[in-house]
Amino acid sequence: AAVARFNQRDIRRLMNDAGIVRNRLKIQSAISGAAAFLKVQEEFGGFDTDLSNLMKEADIVIATTGVPQLIKPSMVRSGQIILALSNPVPEIDPELAMQQGARFAADGRTINNALAYPGIFHGALRAKATKITDNMKLAACEAICKHTKTNNLVPNILDYKVHQSVADAVSLAWYQDLHNFNKRP
């Protein structure tokens, strides 16, 4: 919370501290990230906690830390849903999480690589997009959700209709982004 309130004086102090990485953009990025976190926390609720308590309390854990094997098998509670989405090595191996009692577990290879990316890239290439926008990512998420059957967390990654739907949604989102960009004054 304190980092979110850093000002130019604090940035100068950090830039002069030889004990830290002195990169103005990284410092400003950390401050912006902390401020964004506080805004989301304020708007949607939440609380500060550590991993141990999070694993004791959360029914659904979505990890995107980039820290391999961060979640120890002993932390997994029976019935939890765990999405360890870091690549190439997840926070916990999904099979190990399932062995420890998780109700559902998946990693980034399944969710990101196999489910989302084929349709995202197909749609972007089809639309001749020059970048992947936030709207394109949201469109992909919505398309994936529409194909998720009751009692499933995600659709079957081998369902061609999912990938086609994602590609269509991503292409449309790119065209909408272009249209909105061209309407700016």
Side-chain angles (χ1 to χ4, degrees):
V3 172
R5 292 186 282 278
F6 275 20
N7 57 31
Q8 290 301 317
R9 193 178 100 239
D10 294 309
I11 293 172
R12 280 192 300 278
R13 180 179 50 80
L14 292 170
M15 290 295 292
N16 291 327
D17 186 341
I20 65 167
V21 175
R22 292 176 283 177
N23 181 312
R24 182 174 297 277
L25 290 176
K26 286 185 181 180
I27 292 170
Q28 288 173 327
S29 176
I31 294 168
S32 296
F37 171 78
L38 288 178
K39 183 178 178 184
V40 168
Q41 190 177 35
E42 186 178 290
E43 190 172 331
F44 298 104
F47 53 90
D48 292 334
T49 190
D50 61 18
L51 180 61
S52 178
N53 285 326
L54 175 97
M55 294 301 294
K56 288 176 187 170
E57 298 294 326
D59 294 327
I60 300 172
V61 178
I62 302 172
T64 59
T65 66
V67 180
Q69 283 100 37
L70 175 68
I71 300 172
K72 305 299 177 220
S74 61
M75 296 175 163
V76 176
R77 286 187 303 105
S78 179
Q80 273 182 316
I81 295 171
I82 299 178
L83 302 178
L85 300 178
S86 293
N87 276 324
V89 182
E91 289 78 3
I92 187 168
D93 183 85
E95 289 180 24
L96 186 55
M98 294 292 287
Q99 290 170 4
Q100 295 299 312
R103 181 174 175 201
F104 178 87
D107 60 14
R109 293 178 302 244
T110 304
I111 303 294
N112 300 339
N113 298 0
L115 187 57
Y117 291 151
I120 290 172
F121 289 133
H122 180 176
L125 289 169
R126 183 189 322 147
K128 296 183 171 81
T130 56
K131 62 184 176 179
I132 305 293
T133 67
D134 287 344
N135 286 335
M136 293 164 77
K137 293 176 208 173
L138 288 171
C141 290
E142 290 171 3
I144 290 169
C145 288
K146 287 178 184 173
H147 285 274
T148 303
K149 293 180 172 59
T150 304
N151 295 326
N152 288 346
L153 189 59
V154 295
N156 184 326
I157 63 171
L158 300 178
D159 184 349
Y160 177 77
K161 291 176 190 169
V162 174
H163 302 294
Q164 190 61 46
S165 178
V166 170
D168 292 344
V170 166
S171 292
L172 179 60
W174 173 253
Y175 293 126
Q176 289 170 339
D177 283 344
L178 279 179
H179 177 73
N180 290 336
F181 181 77
N182 290 330
K183 283 176 49 178
R184 290 185 189 165

